[in-house]
Amino acid sequence: MADELLTPDLLLADLDADQRRAVTTESQLVAVVAGAGSGKTRVLTRRVAYRIATGTADGAHTVVLTFTREAAGELRRRLPRLGLTERIAAGTFHSIAQQLLRQRWIDLDQQPKMIVSDRRRLVAELMGRQHLDELVNEMDWATARGITADQYEGAARLVARRSAVTGARVAEALANYRVEKHKRGVVDLDDLLSSTIEAIESDPEFAASVRWRYRHVLVDEAQDLNPLQHRLVDLFRDGRNDLFLVGDPAQAIYGFNGSDPTLLLEVSDRFPGIEIVRLPVNHRCTPQIVEAAAYSLHTDGQPTDVVSARPDGRSVATVSHADEKAEATWVAQQIARLDPTLVRSAQVAVLARTHAVLETARAALVEAGVAVRRLVDGPGSPFTPILAEAYRIREPNRMRQWARDQFDLIDGEGDPRGEVAEATLEFLREQPTGDGTAFRTWVTTSDPFGRDLPGVDVLTFHGAKGREWHTVHLIGCETSLVPHRSATTNAARAEEARLLYVALTRATDSLTVNWAGRRGGYQRKLTPLLSGFVSETPKTMGPPTELVTVKRGGRQATLERLREWRSGVARAGGILPSAVVTDHVLAKIAEHRPSTPGELNRVTGVGAITAGRLFEGISEALAAG
């Protein structure tokens, strides 16, 4: 297996010094505190590949646990590019738990259970619709912490929970919901975790098989894990110190789901002897964007040491509008004037604290003729009717044949029918006895189609987590919304500041913060988290684009020769150019023009071995000018 991977040197070639330490450390109990834009996913995937390449881990016994389906999908896309031909178990906690439970049910000759994806609907049937949102929120809070109906009232009193729903009613709902699921023979997503935990704790044979299967455990977004997920990690490792945590306490935004940012803040207490590696360099955002994001945290008393590695960019604009309609119209007009390739390549987003704020913006974009992205399996998506066909199939051999038949119906490359067929076959490789019902569950808990359809993303701050765009407009950045008026405790307000920090750092190059003087008829002010912030004007301005495209001398010509050299190395090695060295490293080389391998290493931090290997080609590219 190892000889099919990229060599260890190439796996490290485009990493900075902190990233390389995280990837190569001999410790197997490691926590990586990764600031926004610091290359968290790159470090995670390289750690997997590096350990397999160096023989310190077995791909068949490696599991990467993620917090979102999109993160899991990104990992599944990146790992094969590093030469991993063996499938690594990478998925959300729920999807990994579901795979384990499904195999257990089959081994015990039990009928696999259907998954209820809409807890709210079932609770409404049982308890009525009065205060339904509050009731479901309380049930979610209890479930994420493993709190039963009998325990709820005491647990809620202990932490002074406040709700429009009485404790007795929540306890009743929890009990009725549990009975109804049992009666229908169904489970919900949280049951996947609790049932897996219960099975591991009660069945030594099942526990041994799980720990044999998953010997090397890596956890993404560790700051967002709730108590159930923490417990599952502990049971997977069971005393083995082969655990790699990656996360950022400054991006802990799921307190409502039981997440606890102190896991990383106090990680050395929880895991004695753990090695902590910090990634403070943001490679994603311009210094101006990092400055705005850091300001929002600092205002709330949560300083961060993250710095940008990129050259200066445009200032962060803070724009006021008369009301929400004027805000939405202005934002839509600005996006309509952008380079259309940014919209076509899904490099533009509009983000807000709540869904309600987004609706006006969505309508304004449509009115301005700007495409808005749709869910891949939502209404109007070309995938929806094809998926419906697959979901109706009740026998695995028929599913395989159906998938193969779809390839004969494909009109062209990238056809949705072909993508669904490929996803179906991937599902059947994971679950050889699966049917259409299980496939629906797999689609719900996986990300088989990658990203959604092209257009502008219109998302909440929470929904934007883990994503990035060239151009981002934040809307509704005003009092009562940011921080949200529901944040009445110090902990809740601190989380609101972290949520804004996450939203601000989704932009790579262009960020605009919008707010309305009146919304819903009420007076508003700019969010206090950015009050007084003035974005620093870039120190230097580049020449007009037309001059850059016509006159290509000096540093620009050097960069072009270096890119040509890098492309040649990449073609020869069958790898991506960025796997040789990054654009950032090329810019450093063009600026400093190192004359020895040692100087190359000092300038770029690529490592002595890599610098020695690459220097000859780089030297020739520099000399050609």
Side-chain angles (χ1 to χ4, degrees):
M1 175 63 194
D3 60 351
E4 298 172 349
L5 291 167
L6 297 181
T7 65
D9 274 356
L10 282 176
L11 288 170
L12 306 176
D14 58 347
L15 304 183
D16 67 27
D18 297 313
Q19 293 170 337
R20 285 200 304 278
R21 179 187 164 198
V23 169
T24 63
T25 177
E26 293 182 2
S27 300
Q28 294 186 354
L29 184 60
V30 183
V32 179
V33 180
S38 62
K40 170 183 63 67
T41 304
R42 174 175 293 185
V43 164
L44 190 62
T45 52
R46 299 298 175 84
R47 176 68 172 180
V48 173
Y50 185 84
R51 288 198 60 188
I52 294 171
T54 56
T56 61
D58 185 336
H61 297 285
T62 297
V63 61
V64 185
L65 298 165
T66 71
F67 196 75
T68 66
R69 286 180 290 168
E70 184 160 49
E74 182 64 20
L75 285 168
R76 286 195 294 269
R77 286 188 288 275
R78 288 197 189 193
L79 287 170
R81 297 173 191 164
L82 300 177
L84 287 165
T85 57
E86 183 176 6
R87 184 178 178 84
I88 304 296
T92 64
F93 276 76
H94 294 105
S95 65
I96 295 295
Q98 189 242 349
Q99 292 172 31
L100 292 172
L101 283 177
R102 183 174 179 81
Q103 188 58 54
R104 175 173 167 78
W105 289 329
I106 292 171
D107 292 343
L108 296 175
D109 292 325
Q110 296 177 358
Q111 180 66 31
K113 296 181 180 179
M114 289 273 294
I115 295 179
V116 176
S117 58
D118 187 357
R119 174 185 289 179
R120 192 174 184 279
R121 180 184 58 77
L122 186 51
V123 172
E125 291 179 16
L126 294 170
M127 305 297 295
R129 304 193 69 84
Q130 185 177 13
H131 295 306
L132 180 60
D133 289 339
E134 293 88 345
L135 181 59
V136 173
N137 285 342
E138 288 303 297
M139 293 175 68
D140 289 344
W141 177 84
T143 304
R145 292 158 178 80
I147 296 171
T148 64
D150 293 339
Q151 299 167 336
Y152 172 78
E153 291 188 82
R157 280 196 300 270
L158 188 64
V159 297
R161 289 285 293 181
R162 296 176 182 175
S163 173
V165 186
T166 65
R169 182 167 172 77
V170 178
E172 179 187 4
L174 287 167
N176 290 350
Y177 182 61
R178 182 179 179 88
V179 169
E180 186 65 19
K181 287 187 296 182
H182 181 72
K183 185 189 302 181
R184 298 189 184 195
V186 300
V187 295
D188 65 18
L189 290 177
D190 285 325
D191 291 329
L192 295 176
L193 303 184
S194 59
S195 296
T196 303
I197 289 169
E198 182 181 346
I200 293 174
E201 291 179 331
S202 63
D203 185 343
E205 186 176 340
F206 177 65
S209 70
V210 170
R211 290 165 186 149
W212 175 86
R213 182 175 180 180
Y214 298 141
R215 304 174 200 174
H216 319 293
V217 181
L218 300 94
V219 180
D220 187 23
E221 302 285 14
Q223 79 282 348
D224 286 331
L225 306 183
N226 65 33
L228 280 179
Q229 293 160 329
H230 288 171
R231 180 63 182 147
L232 195 60
V233 169
D234 286 340
L235 290 172
F236 274 15
R237 51 187 298 265
D238 187 36
R240 272 199 314 259
N241 283 334
D242 199 328
L243 176 66
F244 190 82
L245 301 170
V246 184
D248 180 11
Q251 297 186 70
I253 60 172
Y254 293 104
F256 64 86
N257 192 41
S259 67
D260 183 4
T262 62
L263 172 68
L264 285 179
L265 291 172
E266 302 170 0
V267 70
S268 57
D269 296 330
R270 182 177 171 88
F271 302 103
I274 195 167
E275 179 176 354
I276 301 174
V277 182
R278 300 187 184 278
L279 306 182
V281 180
N282 182 314
H283 298 277
R284 174 200 301 153
C285 311
T286 63
Q288 283 70 24
I289 293 171
V290 170
E291 181 188 19
Y295 185 95
S296 69
L297 279 183
H298 180 78
T299 302
D300 191 66
Q302 301 182 72
T304 176
D305 60 355
V306 173
V307 295
S308 174
R310 293 189 54 192
D312 272 331
R314 64 183 65 181
S315 301
V316 174
T318 303
V319 183
S320 63
H321 307 276
D323 54 28
E324 63 266 45
K325 182 170 176 54
E327 175 190 63
T329 300
W330 186 85
V331 169
Q333 290 172 346
Q334 296 302 305
I335 293 175
R337 296 187 184 114
L338 290 173
D339 180 345
T341 59
L342 285 174
V343 175
R344 285 199 296 268
S345 60
Q347 285 298 306
V348 182
V350 176
L351 309 179
R353 175 62 179 85
T354 67
H355 287 286
V357 173
L358 290 171
E359 289 310 308
T360 304
R362 192 190 307 273
L365 286 167
V366 172
E367 186 176 345
V370 178
V372 177
R373 294 182 93 184
R374 297 171 292 163
L375 294 174
V376 74
D377 56 354
S381 166
F383 288 85
T384 301
I386 306 165
L387 285 168
E389 291 180 32
Y391 293 159
R392 288 194 292 268
I393 302 173
R394 292 290 176 262
E395 202 276 323
N397 288 332
R398 281 192 57 220
M399 285 199 76
R400 288 188 184 86
Q401 187 57 54
W402 176 88
R404 295 185 183 109
D405 290 345
Q406 303 315 300
F407 291 111
D408 295 332
L409 303 174
I410 295 174
D411 295 328
E413 188 176 339
D415 187 290
R417 190 168 292 277
E419 293 189 48
V420 173
E422 289 176 1
T424 305
L425 293 175
E426 180 182 358
F427 157 73
L428 289 169
R429 283 192 291 271
E430 285 187 12
Q431 301 180 24
T433 60
D435 60 7
T437 300
F439 181 51
R440 181 195 293 269
T441 297
W442 183 79
V443 169
T444 299
T445 56
S446 304
D447 184 24
F449 306 108
R451 299 203 169 184
D452 302 337
L453 302 176
V456 174
D457 279 299
V458 181
L459 298 168
T460 64
F461 291 175
H462 282 103
K465 178 79 185 309
R467 303 279 296 276
E468 64 179 69
W469 297 267
H470 177 279
T471 299
V472 172
H473 278 270
L474 269 55
I475 61 174
C477 292
E478 63 223 24
T479 50
S480 293
L481 282 170
V482 182
H484 195 270
R485 57 183 171 273
S486 63
T488 57
T489 66
N490 289 337
R493 284 190 289 271
E495 183 165 306
E496 288 290 313
R498 295 193 295 270
L499 184 56
L500 178 59
Y501 172 80
V502 167
L504 292 165
T505 55
R506 299 311 94 194
T508 62
D509 291 77
S510 177
L511 174 64
T512 305
V513 177
N514 297 276
W515 64 282
R518 294 185 69 85
R519 188 176 299 274
Y522 292 94
Q523 288 286 124
R524 303 293 176 92
K525 295 180 180 179
L526 174 66
T527 171
L529 293 171
L530 289 174
S531 179
F533 172 73
V534 178
S535 185
E536 183 178 320
T537 302
K539 297 180 181 66
T540 58
M541 298 295 291
T545 303
E546 58 269 23
L547 293 182
V548 172
T549 56
V550 173
K551 183 179 179 181
R552 298 189 179 275
R555 186 169 178 270
Q556 180 66 27
T558 301
L559 272 174
E560 289 189 359
R561 291 195 302 274
L562 287 168
R563 290 192 184 103
E564 290 174 5
W565 159 79
R566 183 178 64 174
S567 296
V569 173
R571 283 194 299 272
I575 58 176
L576 294 173
S578 60
V580 181
V581 290
T582 63
D583 287 340
H584 177 65
V585 168
L586 287 185
K588 289 273 191 183
I589 295 170
E591 180 180 354
H592 295 280
R593 302 180 70 89
S595 58
T596 66
E599 188 179 351
L600 173 62
N601 183 32
R602 285 193 298 274
V603 167
T604 63
V606 297
I609 295 176
T610 301
R613 179 172 53 80
L614 299 180
F615 177 74
E616 183 179 353
I618 290 173
S619 180
E620 290 177 359
L622 292 173

